[in-house]
């Protein structure tokens, strides 16, 4: 998490120290002027500034969440560029002003004291408010770039707490910090971070359609750099440099860094004064006390809590109104009926953008409901299992085109509502529905692949049985791995082979006697014996049983029930097993061949993708090239662990290699995650 936290930690530390110094000078000036009774007015202004900053952050967060995906990209990109501009201005301003900050603030406070409570509150509010708004904007931007808020919020919190501690130490004169050097050093680091934020913002503007060139890549290292490795995560989190960058990102990043850093360094050199030799501090002259306006009489004095509560409540109320009024009015204000007779009743043409529809089942049967393109049947949103009398929200992005509702009651006939036409708003993403007939050909091809593999498996387990019966245990170890790889490549995940999988490839996990349990059978039972010194006599029965179970599976498979809807799940589930068992070493019973099994699992995944490719190509044309690159990267990592007839055991991999393997597998799983949704069989009758 620290890679995402560091930029926010730095901004929290800098802005917190900057605002804290101003507050410290305000407090010190009032104390020396004998006006301690005015300190609550300073804290009221500070509280108001904090409330405004938090409200601003809430407006950014909730306003962005109500936009469509494209609009979110454009909104986020624009604010990223604005954040870079603010941070750049702040860096240069503080470099110039750090030396004279105290004197300027004292002059403002002296004037404010003479003008009354309201002016003192305003002075402290303006002094701290700018830092608060800059912090909120930059924190929102970095959280969005990181894709999560825990790291950036943690980093900013630590930075602010540390800044408060430093300010307290400076105020109490127990710390001495060269503020000019501090702000110069952190300013240089912030310029580098801001360059990354600018690059990220430009990419968002390209994704949002504001700027061109989103497919013009200057750097594309996705196939050779592990995006999940610690070093890649660190670079992406701190610098916002990614393995894939467009020409606009590269030019913007390099240009900003070259120009701004050059000007910053030149300014530092030009303004750096000769360091005076330390000497005794001169005694400060007593400052004349300003003429104070008389306090209001006790009769007219309002309760002390009124103003602090008001300065917190007013920004919060204003922010709430902005969020409420700024959001597009949800289409969910229409309640859409779902039943055999009233499907789509109450549906009117919505406005383009992200919409929420309240789907109310007015019928007597549980229903599936889909928002579709009536011309193609493509699905924009869906709810499964909407029970009678219940209401659930369906969220979908609406753009230019035709829309209708399809209601499919359980055991009933599908009903399609009248269509409405929406104008403008670009294009919305829809999923072309898949039927059992669409999956029939891929399923037939996959079954043929499995049947051929099972024939090979029967021959290989028979050979393994012969090795053990003849006492040739060295040969048996080689033939064991060959047969086990064949079985693993057939995609035996989540009950594909029903009860046979437990017999053939079960692990001792959960068995009462562990590896000595009578129900521990199959490949892993033989693996344990071959690599733990058991003799041939001890292994004859397990080997014979394995050969018999393999033959039984081959005979039973053609008649086994294979739901076509399960086929898309296998592409994801095989590698889930790999990540859970093989890459953790949990499945190993002594052979150290977990990566050989992972390699076979990858082959099975590749075969599934081959038979599903015709269906995926038209529904997600960008998915297959991405997945192919992921598969290639993972295959290279597995090949690197294969040395002739041996494989490097998982527990002997160095930390970096193991992290790269886990990261590559995790990335492939993430990119395969949409496949089940894309190829889900949706009811039409």
């Amino acid at each position: 998490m620290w890679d995402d936290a560091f930029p926010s930690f730095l901004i929290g530390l800098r802005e917190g120290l900057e605002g804290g110094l101003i507050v410290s000078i305000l407090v010190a000036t009032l104390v020396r002027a004998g006006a301690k009774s005015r300190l609550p007015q300073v804290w009221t202004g500070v509280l108001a500034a904090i409330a405004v900053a938090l409200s601003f952050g809430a407006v950014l967060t909730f306003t962005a969440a109500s936009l469509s995906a494209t609009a979110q990209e454009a909104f986020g990109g624009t604010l990223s560029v604005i954040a870079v501009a603010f941070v750049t201005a702040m860096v240069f301003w503080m470099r110039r002003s750090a030396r004279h900050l105290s004197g300027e603030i004292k002059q403002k406070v002296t004037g404010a004291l003479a003008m009354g409570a309201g002016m003192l509150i305003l002075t402290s509010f303006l002094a701290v408010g700018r830092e608060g708004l800059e912090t909120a904007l930059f924190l929102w931007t970095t959280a969005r770039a990181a894709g999560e808020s825990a790291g950036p919020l943690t980093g900013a919190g630590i930075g602010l707490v540390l800044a408060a501690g430093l300010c307290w130490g400076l105020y109490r004169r127990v710390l001495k910090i060269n503020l000019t050097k501090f702000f110069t050093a952190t300013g240089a680091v912030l310029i580098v971070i801001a360059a990354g934020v600018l690059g990220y913002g430009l990419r968002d503007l390209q994704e949002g359609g504001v700027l061109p060139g989103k497919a013009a890549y200057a750097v594309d290292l996705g196939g050779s750099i592990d995006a999940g490795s610690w070093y890649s995560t660190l670079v992406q989190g701190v610098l916002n440099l990614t393995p894939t960058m467009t020409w606009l990102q590269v030019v913007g990043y390099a240009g900003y860094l070259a120009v701004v850093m050059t000007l910053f360094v030149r300014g530092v050199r030009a303004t750096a004064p000769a360091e005076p030799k330390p000497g005794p501090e001169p005694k400060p002259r007593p400052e004349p006390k300003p003429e104070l306006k008389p306090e209001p009489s006790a009769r007219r004095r309002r309760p002390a809590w009124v103003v602090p509560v008001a300065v917190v409540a007013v920004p919060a109320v204003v922010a709430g109104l902005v969020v409420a009024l700024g959001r597009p009015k949800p289409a969910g204000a229409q309640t859409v009926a779902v039943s055999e007779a009233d499907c789509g009743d109450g549906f009117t043409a919505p406005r383009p953008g992200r919409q929420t529809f309240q789907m109310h089942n007015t019928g007597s049967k549980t229903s599936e409901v889909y928002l579709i393109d009536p011309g193609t049947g493509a699905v924009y949103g869906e709810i499964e299992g909407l029970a009678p009398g219940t209401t659930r929200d369906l969220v979908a992005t609406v753009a230019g085109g035709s829309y209708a509702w399809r209601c499919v009651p359980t055991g009933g006939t599908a009903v399609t509502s009248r269509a409405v036409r929406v104008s403008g708003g670009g294009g919305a993403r829809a999923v072309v529905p898949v039927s059992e007939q669409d999956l029939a050909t891929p399923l037939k091809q996959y079954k043929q692949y499995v049947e051929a593999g099972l024939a090979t498996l029967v021959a290989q387990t028979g050979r393994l049985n012969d090795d053990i019966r003849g006492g040739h245990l060295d040969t048996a170890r080689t033939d064991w791995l060959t047969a086990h790889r064949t079985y693993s490549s057939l995609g035996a995940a989540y009950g594909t082979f029903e009860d046979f999988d437990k017999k053939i490839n079960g692990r001792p996990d959960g068995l009462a006697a562990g590896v000595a349990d009578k129900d521990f059978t199959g490949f892993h039972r033989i693996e344990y014996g071959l690599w733990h010194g058991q003799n041939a006599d001890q292994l004859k029965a397990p080997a014979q049983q394995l050969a018999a179970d393999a033959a039984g599976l081959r005979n039973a498979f053609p008649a086994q029930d294979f739901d076509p809807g399960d086929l898309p799940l296998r592409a994801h589930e095989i590698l889930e097993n790999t990540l859970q068992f093989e890459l953790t070493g949990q499945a190993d019973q002594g052979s150290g061949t977990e990566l050989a099994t992972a390699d076979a699992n990858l082959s099975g995944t590749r075969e599934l993708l081959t038979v599903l490719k015709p269906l995926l190509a038209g529904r997600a044309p960008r998915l297959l090239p991405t997945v192919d690159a992921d598969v290639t990267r993972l295959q290279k990592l597995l090949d690197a662990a294969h040395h002739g007839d041996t494989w490097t055991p998982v527990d002997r991999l160095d930390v970096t290699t193991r992290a790269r393997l886990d990261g590559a597998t995790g990335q492939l799983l993430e990119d395969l995650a949409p496949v089940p949704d894309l190829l889900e069989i949706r009811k039409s009758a």
Side-chain angles (χ1 to χ4, degrees), residues 116 129 131 196 222 250 270 281 375 380 387 394 409 523 526 528 545 620 643 680:
E131 281 69 35
V250 172
E281 291 187 6
Y380 293 95
L394 186 151
F523 278 111
I526 297 172
Y528 180 84
Q545 183 179 348
H643 314 286
E680 179 184 353

Side-chain angles (χ1 to χ4, degrees), residues 511-528:
L511 297 178
V515 294
D517 199 287
K518 62 180 179 60
D519 291 329
F520 182 34
T521 61
F523 278 111
H524 290 300
R525 167 65 184 90
I526 297 172
E527 177 190 9
Y528 180 84

Side-chain angles (χ1 to χ4, degrees), residues 46 74 155 157 167 174 178 278 366 374 406 447 467 503 532 554 557 564 578 624 637 649 675:
V46 171
C167 288
V174 296
N178 188 320
T366 298
R406 175 171 292 157
K447 280 187 171 182
D467 293 337
K503 297 176 182 178
H532 284 84
R554 181 190 179 188
F557 181 72
T578 303
L624 288 173
L637 292 171
V675 172

Side-chain angles (χ1 to χ4, degrees), residues 62 96 150 212 234 295 367 386 389 445 485 505 509 543 545 592 671:
F62 291 108
R96 294 191 305 268
L234 183 65
E295 294 286 348
S367 295
L386 183 63
Q445 293 172 342
R485 280 171 54 79
N505 206 41
D509 309 340
Q545 183 179 348
D671 291 332

Side-chain angles (χ1 to χ4, degrees), residues 531-545:
W531 275 273
H532 284 84
Q534 292 186 352
N535 58 41
D537 289 338
Q538 293 172 291
L539 294 174
K540 282 180 182 179
Q544 186 175 358
Q545 183 179 348

Side-chain angles (χ1 to χ4, degrees), residues 199 202-203 206 211-213 216 218 245-253:
L202 293 175
R203 180 59 179 170
Q206 289 178 311
L211 295 176
M245 296 182 70
T246 64
W247 279 106
L248 181 61
Q249 284 181 279
V250 172
V251 171
Y253 182 93

